[in-house]
Amino acid sequence: NAGVTQTPKFQVLKTGQSMTLQCAQDMNHEYMSWYRQDPGMGLRLIHYSVGAGITDQGEVPNGYNVSRSTTEDFPLRLLSAAPSQTSVYFCASSTTWYDEQFFGPGTRLTVL
Amino acid sequence: GENVEQHPSTLSVQEGDSAVIKCTYSDSASNYFPWYKQELGKRPQLIIDIRSNVGEKKDQRIAVTLNKTAKHFSLHITETQPEDSAVYFCAATYSGGYQKVTFGTGTKLQVIP
């Protein structure tokens, strides 16, 4: 099992550019989520999904979109990148939101 | 929604000493409390979790205690070792709703050899 995979590992964008962060899991988990990690602020939830076709907003959803067309994949789209979106992004998956979450290796994003 | 506060933000201990990290939560409905360890440059990984039907759980040198009345839970690491140096995150959620996990802001633990 590969577990949770994320691509790319690193990305540099210019303000206003758009891009998609990819996340996939092979554990047949229904629950998937995206977090951003900033110094001193812990892990903040961006969007989450309880199953294919179902997504909802987390704590900091502005500027991000998600979709869940399959159980395995949960991409995160940055619509128009801003310097405030410079962060490390983690995707996670679990059986439910009240079980152990398995995190991907993260994507370090810099917006200039 | 849920709010989780974590203290201290940094903690230095001598190797062999114990370390304690505390978290408080705001919503009395919360009933699942995991702890994650994140080594430098790595992803967070679960080290221990507790559900609200128990007050304490141990796994070798690591233990978690839960006080539902006071709405706080703590991570205890005994006989600390240099490899325990990492950032630790607590979290809380409610199985009957929310569908979201709320994390604390993290504690950077340094174990001094």
Side-chain angles (χ1 to χ4, degrees):
Chain A
N1 284 355
V4 181
T5 59
Q6 289 182 239
T7 55
K9 291 189 188 306
F10 302 94
Q11 183 71 48
V12 178
L13 293 177
K14 295 181 179 179
T15 297
Q17 288 184 315
S18 62
M19 78 159 295
T20 299
L21 306 185
Q22 301 292 344
C23 174
Q25 52 93 9
D26 61 0
M27 295 175 282
N28 201 33
H29 286 161
E30 291 294 330
Y31 188 80
M32 295 186 75
S33 51
W34 276 102
Y35 295 91
R36 59 177 290 172
Q37 183 174 28
D38 302 293
M41 302 190 75
L43 294 158
R44 292 185 292 168
L45 183 65
I46 304 171
H47 285 285
Y48 66 95
S49 169
V50 297
I54 306 169
T55 64
D56 207 342
Q57 296 181 353
E59 180 185 352
V60 288
N62 292 343
Y64 308 95
N65 272 356
V66 292
S67 60
R68 184 95 178 269
S69 57
T70 67
T71 298
E72 295 77 22
D73 300 296
F74 191 43
L76 177 73
R77 297 183 191 83
L78 278 70
L79 309 173
S80 177
S84 61
Q85 294 179 305
T86 293
S87 188
V88 178
Y89 291 85
F90 287 100
C91 176
S93 77
S94 53
T95 306
T96 70
W97 63 94
Y98 48 97
D99 284 301
E100 175 181 6
Q101 292 192 81
F102 295 86
F103 286 83
T107 294
R108 184 174 294 276
L109 175 68
T110 302
V111 182
L112 304 175
Chain B
E2 177 63 279
N3 182 51
V4 176
E5 295 189 358
Q6 183 172 348
H7 299 282
S9 57
T10 61
L11 179 60
S12 291
V13 300
Q14 291 292 133
E15 182 177 355
D17 287 349
S18 295
V20 180
I21 303 170
K22 298 181 180 180
C23 289
T24 60
Y25 59 98
S26 61
D27 194 323
S28 56
S30 288
N31 57 0
Y32 176 63
F33 307 93
W35 285 89
Y36 290 84
K37 175 183 180 182
Q38 185 180 29
E39 297 177 354
L40 188 62
K42 302 290 182 64
R43 70 191 80 186
Q45 291 187 296
L46 182 80
I47 54 171
I48 196 167
D49 57 8
I50 191 168
R51 300 186 190 270
S52 62
N53 57 343
V54 298
E56 184 175 6
K57 185 176 180 180
K58 288 183 180 179
D59 184 1
Q60 300 183 336
R61 297 186 295 108
I62 293 172
V64 56
T65 58
L66 172 65
N67 184 325
K68 289 186 290 184
T69 302
K71 292 189 287 187
H72 68 71
F73 56 110
S74 300
L75 178 71
H76 305 255
I77 306 175
T78 59
E79 300 173 12
T80 53
Q81 301 169 3
E83 51 264 39
D84 294 329
S85 296
V87 178
Y88 293 82
F89 294 98
C90 63
T93 191
Y94 170 48
S95 62
Y98 293 174
Q99 300 181 339
K100 306 174 187 178
V101 180
T102 302
F103 282 82
T105 50
T107 296
K108 184 176 182 180
L109 173 64
Q110 181 184 20
V111 180
I112 303 166

